[in-house]
Amino acid sequence: MSSPVAPAANAGWPHIVFAILMVPIGLFLLVGGVWLIALGGSWYYLATGLACLGSGYLLYRGRMLGIWLYTAMLLWTLMWSFLEVGLDFWGVFPRIAGPAVLGLWLALPMVWRPLLTRAAGTRAFAVAKRGRFSRPTRLAVLGSLAVVLAGAGVMVSRTLLAPSATDVHASGAVSTDRPAGLNTPDGAEVANPVPGADDWSDWGRTASGDRFIPFEQITTANVANLEIAWTYRTGGAGPNQATPLQINDTLYFCTRDNIVVALDAETGSERWQYNPVLGPLANGGGCRGVSFHRQDTTPADGQCQSRIITTTRDARLIAVDARDGRPCVGFGVDGEIDLRSGMGEDVLGYQHNTSPALVVGNVAVVGSAIHDGQSVDEPSGVIRAYNAVSGAFLWAWDMGRPGVNTEPGPGETYTRGTPNVWSLMSADPDLGMIYLPLGNATPDYYGGHRTPEMEKYASSVVALRVADGSVAWYFQTVHHDIWDLDVASQPVLIDFPTENGPVPAVLQATKRGQFFVFNRATGEPLIDVEERPVPQGAVEGDFTAPTQPYPSGMPHVAGERLREADMWGLTPLDQLMCRIVFKQSRYEGEFTPPSLQGSILYPGFFGGSNWGSVSIDTKRNIMLASSQRLAQLVTLYPRDHPIAAGIEATGPDGRPLIHQGEASPQHGVPYVATNGGFMSPIGVPCQRPPYGMMTAIDLDTRTVLWERPLGTTRNSGPFGLAIGLPLEMGVPVNGGSLVTASGLTFHAGSQDGYLRAFNTETGDEVWRSALPVGSQATPMSYISPESGEQFIVVTAGGAMGIAQTGDYVVAYRLRRS
């Protein structure tokens, strides 16, 4: 028996290159595989690491057996993938794609021919010389190729079969590119700002928040003929989330920096703009919209009978004339109210406003956003009401002062650190009630310090009487919330079908992906709610509620409990790291308490359903819910831990700074927290897709009509890089949807930057258009009084998680023949 031939004498370098590459890959899988097994995880990575090292060694020695071993590894990888995730494309493809692409190298003749020659002697050399494969070699090569081509074929088909996108800069678009002015109205005065019955006069079209348009001009049959009517540029880029109002022939909206703009609804030309000039304490991101109010009688001076009311990121409430944008000087002090009044010290600007005031009759109700996770001593979450004409204070609901609805006395403040309302409110003017989505008490991930007043209403939907701010009823969706699962979605007022006929109801979507339904007048649940035991064991000094409320009889959009097999990544290497972190972390399903070990929260604090809420097709009684399925990883650290020092940053005066990013200093409690996404080392989620979903639920039968991933990989990829391929995956989403009487659902908040239209009844995507940048806004629609044509409008300031931002408002209408 002859001794092995030295590699250099065995026909060159190609197999040596592959052998060398197998060393670090095999070692990584071997060491990581042993680690994972020690944590109770899969044996696959250890076995595969050994196979890679063995294949590399054999190939280095010039042995054909190295190719057979690698081919066997590909086959068991494919079988293992099917056993773990079935036929799910995004589950299987990343498991097999990387190894199969490497396997193609072994399929090259310059690699296998010399090895076959050495293995089989003269006869094999003659076969190889004639360019023919032996049967085993042919099977090995074709097996590797089949795996790769199957995956590539699916990818290509998904790309080619996707609807083509419309270029946002298409011919015929009108662009207005002008910098914002400084309190200098410009353009034509609005002639008659009187709302019509079908105008989009509130953030959710009406105070009910259903986002339903009773128009049938744009249909499933002609939606493909939508084209850009005009494009407006605000002059200041940023993640704007505004949904414009439409009052008669004018659109009103705000920019990220709270500049209020009025546009001609037909042409998109600017009529006026008002700049409130933000101060140094302006914090937070974006502006979700403005509010409209009209007096019944004409004022003596003729000014501000119709007005736009806006909140600002430096905590002001401002009213301007809807005709020309001039401040309503009779409102508050020279047209504005200082919302920091009565709130106590706030030198860092913890308090800001991102959502519009709720206007009910002559009452303007306003909440506030408070920076998450900073301190126990943040400003109050008080809800206040003002006269929409004069700005006079009417009442305050301060949950720390039950039964007292006045402003604080001299030297007093509203109760600090209480739950706030940062999102969108709803109203039933006939009942005289407003409906509030409550946040959780500060800070987010520890609650051992919270008072009974903080605990009572946190993460609840609350009904207040608009006359005096007294509580009519409330329901808590999360007890002792230490997960940042505050109620973010606007409560939606619907007529809910029951055995005894339709009942006026409040439908409340939650970050948990659960839906609660209540009698609008009494708060009685209209679907059963049961208290279920949940994981226990909070950190020292805190506690967990023994049970949490679960609605039954309604589908949820939360996704299923995570398993090790759900861990993801674009390569086996980052998949392995995600599995290790998953097994190291604490995860016992929903409501796993934050821990020193590190806890996986799923659904995470982005949702489920966030502030975009749900839409209701009131004609078909269908609820459309866009939702997110992204896990987060939360870890608590004692204050003497080295990591805490970097999170507890202070300024030159020794005061704590607002910590921006994926960490919470939580001043005043024993722990700081890190609270980032559960991501792989190359910057992709550690759980397999989809991450964004659109779900249609029949409210009559309370069943899912259809569900589909929302968004493609066009703007996503490892290390934050866009791969540019529109492969349907279901990507992170923000913002809500719009539904029409003609059976269309529009959505623009997916990370890939498309405005889409779906068939409401079937879920088929029937049209899409590429926006200039992504959007985090909810689309709106109206009939232009001038032309009688229906428009679809959306603001585009940048998608969630994508660095590219812009300053666009884009309007679509049907192509004119």
Side-chain angles (χ1 to χ4, degrees), residues 208-209 424-426 435-437 461 489-493 506-508:
S208 296
L424 291 307
M425 299 175 276
S426 304
Y435 303 92
L436 317 179
V461 53
S489 299
Q490 180 184 25
V492 180
L493 310 188
V506 177
L507 189 153
Q508 183 63 66

Side-chain angles (χ1 to χ4, degrees), residues 27-61:
L27 285 174
F28 188 97
L29 294 173
L30 176 65
V31 174
V34 170
W35 190 0
L36 182 61
I37 290 169
L39 294 170
S42 171
W43 285 71
Y44 164 80
Y45 295 91
L46 171 60
T48 301
L50 289 171
C52 289
L53 289 172
S55 176
Y57 173 77
L58 291 168
L59 286 169
Y60 179 78
R61 302 294 296 177

Side-chain angles (χ1 to χ4, degrees), residues 444-452 454-456 476 478-483 534-548 586 591-594 636 671:
D444 293 311
Y445 307 110
Y446 179 89
H449 65 290
R450 295 177 186 169
T451 65
M454 293 178 182
E455 294 280 16
K456 183 175 182 179
Q476 189 168 64
V478 179
H479 307 318
H480 189 63
D481 185 356
I482 51 175
W483 302 272
V534 293
Q536 297 296 293
V539 292
E540 184 179 356
D542 203 355
F543 66 93
T544 48
T547 63
Q548 295 288 352
R586 183 176 181 184
F591 294 115
T592 300
L636 299 178
Y671 306 93

Side-chain angles (χ1 to χ4, degrees), residues 732-793:
V733 299
N734 206 357
S737 58
L738 154 73
V739 289
T740 73
S742 61
L744 289 169
T745 298
F746 289 89
H747 186 271
S750 56
Q751 201 175 66
D752 59 355
Y754 287 110
L755 172 64
R756 288 180 166 84
F758 301 99
N759 184 311
T760 300
E761 295 180 337
T762 67
D764 295 332
E765 182 179 316
V766 291
W767 173 85
R768 67 175 181 174
S769 175
L771 295 166
V773 297
S775 174
Q776 297 183 44
T778 300
M780 55 85 68
S781 182
Y782 58 91
I783 299 291
S784 170
E786 179 177 330
S787 64
E789 295 175 311
Q790 184 180 356
F791 286 72
I792 307 291
V793 176

Side-chain angles (χ1 to χ4, degrees), residues 386-616:
Y386 299 91
N387 186 291
V389 177
S390 68
F393 173 86
L394 297 177
W395 52 258
W397 179 53
D398 178 0
M399 60 196 73
R401 301 186 302 156
V404 179
N405 67 358
T406 60
E407 294 181 285
E412 298 178 341
T413 66
Y414 295 111
T415 308
R416 295 178 71 81
T418 51
N420 62 316
V421 175
W422 60 267
S423 188
L424 291 307
M425 299 175 276
S426 304
D428 184 332
D430 294 333
L431 281 178
M433 287 190 187
I434 59 176
Y435 303 92
L436 317 179
L438 262 289
N440 55 326
T442 61
D444 293 311
Y445 307 110
Y446 179 89
H449 65 290
R450 295 177 186 169
T451 65
E453 293 79 19
M454 293 178 182
E455 294 280 16
K456 183 175 182 179
Y457 296 107
S459 303
S460 298
V461 53
V462 178
L464 299 183
R465 298 178 180 90
V466 72
D468 59 9
S470 60
V471 176
W473 58 264
Y474 75 98
F475 181 90
Q476 189 168 64
T477 67
V478 179
H479 307 318
H480 189 63
D481 185 356
I482 51 175
W483 302 272
D484 193 17
L485 293 176
D486 52 318
V487 183
S489 299
Q490 180 184 25
V492 180
L493 310 188
I494 63 172
D495 289 329
F496 189 68
T498 70
E499 293 179 352
N500 299 317
V503 175
V506 177
L507 189 153
Q508 183 63 66
T510 66
K511 285 185 178 181
R512 296 171 52 198
Q514 306 282 351
F515 302 101
F516 296 86
V517 187
F518 309 99
N519 182 298
R520 202 181 303 172
T522 67
E524 176 189 1
L526 295 178
I527 57 175
D528 291 337
V529 178
E530 60 180 352
E531 292 284 339
R532 299 179 189 172
V534 293
Q536 297 296 293
V539 292
E540 184 179 356
D542 203 355
F543 66 93
T544 48
T547 63
Q548 295 288 352
Y550 281 82
S552 59
M554 275 282 285
H556 66 80
V557 293
E560 300 304 319
R561 178 170 174 156
L562 297 177
R563 308 166 299 150
E564 183 194 336
D566 294 318
M567 296 305 101
W568 201 68
L570 292 184
T571 71
L573 306 183
D574 61 322
Q575 293 164 26
L576 172 57
M577 293 307 300
C578 285
R579 285 180 181 247
I580 289 172
V581 175
F582 179 76
K583 300 298 288 188
Q584 284 181 317
S585 302
R586 183 176 181 184
Y587 179 67
E588 301 163 34
E590 190 182 12
F591 294 115
T592 300
S595 64
L596 303 180
Q597 175 184 351
S599 295
I600 293 172
L601 308 188
Y602 182 74
F605 42 74
F606 290 128
S609 179
N610 210 291
W611 61 266
S613 193
V614 299
S615 299
I616 307 295

